[in-house]
Amino acid sequence: MEPEEPVRDVEYLESLTTTVHAGVQYGVEVLAVGEERAAGIPVPAIAQARLAARHRIPLETVLHRYLAADKKLAAFVLEEAAGVDPSDVLAAMTAQGTAFQRLVAVVTEEYVREAGARPATHEARRVERARRLLAGETVDPGILDYELDGHHLGLVASSAAARPLIRKLAGELGCRSLILAPSSNELWAWLGGAREPVDPAAVRERLAAGGDPMLPIGMGVPKSDSKGWRLTHAQAQRALWVAEAKSAPVVGYDEAALLSTVARDPTLTASLHEKYLLPLSTGPDGGRVLRATLRTYFKAERTAARRPRPSA
Amino acid sequence: MTRQTVTNRLRTAEQLIGRSLGECDTALIVALELEELGRVPIPPHSLP
């Protein structure tokens, strides 16, 4: 268990308040009617134990809160015991002690169960939080230590081994970064800027020069705010498919969008093949030279189009 | 390869497809890239 951190989550703080109220009511009820006749362990206490586990609050801290409440309640009973039959006071205190033991047992069990179901490492918890944010859930992004309100450029690689490369890239560009490895076969990254987006041309240039075709990277389009954070990631994932297929160190969504979309449509793919490739399949080489010439021609055209025009 | 050879091949391709390259460049580029990525069958007799 990691050290306790300040909890900012409103859900957790509210549950704490609700649990205190429910716990006091339960304690008073036990004193009044006995442990056996009182209602079961308050549901908010169970929910709060689970939430505490999710927020990495140590179990000792959770149990100390109950212990403090138990002592407070015992002190209250003793204050009010004047004039009451000592055997009644003893019975009430015994019931309270039994109820407290049962409460601690239930809370501990719930806490341990929830903690066991949670990701084991800090990195895994960051990945889990990012997954939930990518799914559109409203959860606290604090654990990511990355500002979602700024500008983002999504990068996705098919290997966690790309982490040093992207970390170096972020350092060279002097931008914020969020780098997560959901598994050894996946790396998600966002390069961020508070005031202006990271230049995708600079990222592409550096990855093309310093990247590795064995570690292809898909790159999204610069976007802003949390919605853009999700979109640029989805774009990078699409681009990654093309980068992998081409064994290219980097492919941007702007050049991969059409290809990755068409490739998912078997009807369209077959139609394009029939309309453009089959007619070219003539001659003794089946049109191989013609197609190679066309590829070279289009590549040269694209390169010329990208070249900056001289100023007048 | 001379410039004339390239021009001749491009004209041949246009005749076989039945359209000028300017009319169908995007679709043709995608078709060629799909083939390169192994997403469409390579036309018969064209393997090196």
Side-chain angles (χ1 to χ4, degrees), chain A residues 88 157 159 171 207 263 294:
Chain A
D88 288 341
S159 170
L207 287 177
L294 285 167

Side-chain angles (χ1 to χ4, degrees), chain B residues 2-19:
Chain B
T2 64
R3 183 183 291 269
Q4 190 56 49
T5 306
V6 173
T7 305
N8 289 343
R9 285 181 188 167
L10 295 180
R11 295 292 85 81
T12 304
E14 287 181 327
Q15 284 167 11
L16 290 168
I17 294 169
R19 304 171 100 181

Side-chain angles (χ1 to χ4, degrees), chain A residues 300 302-309:
Chain A
R302 202 157 38 202
T303 307
R306 278 189 191 150
R307 198 171 296 141
R309 291 176 185 180

Side-chain angles (χ1 to χ4, degrees), chain B residues 23-39:
Chain B
E23 285 177 312
C24 64
D25 56 352
T26 303
L28 182 54
I29 290 169
V30 170
L32 288 166
E33 289 196 336
L34 286 172
E35 183 196 36
E36 216 173 8
L37 301 183
R39 301 298 287 203

Side-chain angles (χ1 to χ4, degrees), chain A residues 82-268:
Chain A
V84 179
D85 187 331
S87 62
D88 288 341
V89 175
L90 183 62
M93 297 290 279
T94 303
Q96 187 197 335
T98 307
F100 178 71
Q101 282 179 357
R102 196 156 71 90
L103 180 68
V104 165
V106 169
V107 163
T108 302
E109 189 184 338
E110 292 294 337
Y111 182 98
V112 169
R113 184 183 299 147
E114 186 69 18
R118 296 178 57 244
T121 64
H122 184 62
E123 170 76 356
R125 280 189 285 278
R126 281 158 54 86
V127 168
E128 185 204 26
R129 189 59 55 95
R131 275 192 206 284
R132 294 177 67 184
L133 286 162
L134 286 170
E137 285 189 44
T138 307
V139 288
D140 184 1
I143 192 173
L144 299 179
D145 197 21
Y146 176 86
E147 190 55 61
L148 293 185
D149 289 336
H151 300 275
H152 319 285
L153 181 69
L155 299 173
V156 175
S158 54
S159 170
R163 185 190 288 267
L165 176 67
I166 295 178
R167 190 177 286 149
K168 182 168 171 269
L169 174 70
E172 288 173 355
L173 294 170
C175 63
R176 297 180 293 119
S177 65
L178 169 61
I179 308 174
L180 300 169
S183 72
S184 59
N185 299 323
E186 208 174 0
L187 189 91
W188 302 344
W190 289 265
L191 303 179
R195 293 184 182 171
E196 55 186 32
V198 173
D199 179 11
V203 173
R204 182 201 297 276
E205 193 178 306
R206 284 168 192 268
L207 287 177
D212 183 349
M214 300 297 286
L215 292 175
I217 293 172
M219 182 176 79
V221 171
K223 297 284 171 189
S224 57
D225 67 41
S226 57
K227 200 174 169 184
W229 179 79
R230 286 192 287 272
L231 183 56
T232 190
H233 174 74
Q235 291 172 334
Q237 282 188 316
R238 287 289 191 96
L240 175 62
W241 175 81
V242 178
E244 285 178 319
K246 288 185 171 178
S247 293
V250 60
V251 168
Y253 181 71
D254 50 358
E255 60 185 296
L258 186 58
L259 193 58
S260 63
T261 305
V262 173
R264 287 161 187 256
D265 186 334
T267 307
L268 186 51

Side-chain angles (χ1 to χ4, degrees), chain A residues 269 276 281 285 288 291 295, chain B residues 19 32 35 40-41 43 45-46:
Chain A
T269 301
Y276 296 106
S281 317
D285 72 342
R288 190 167 58 84
R291 295 199 302 282
R295 285 194 181 97
Chain B
R19 304 171 100 181
L32 288 166
E35 183 196 36
V40 293
H45 315 303
S46 66

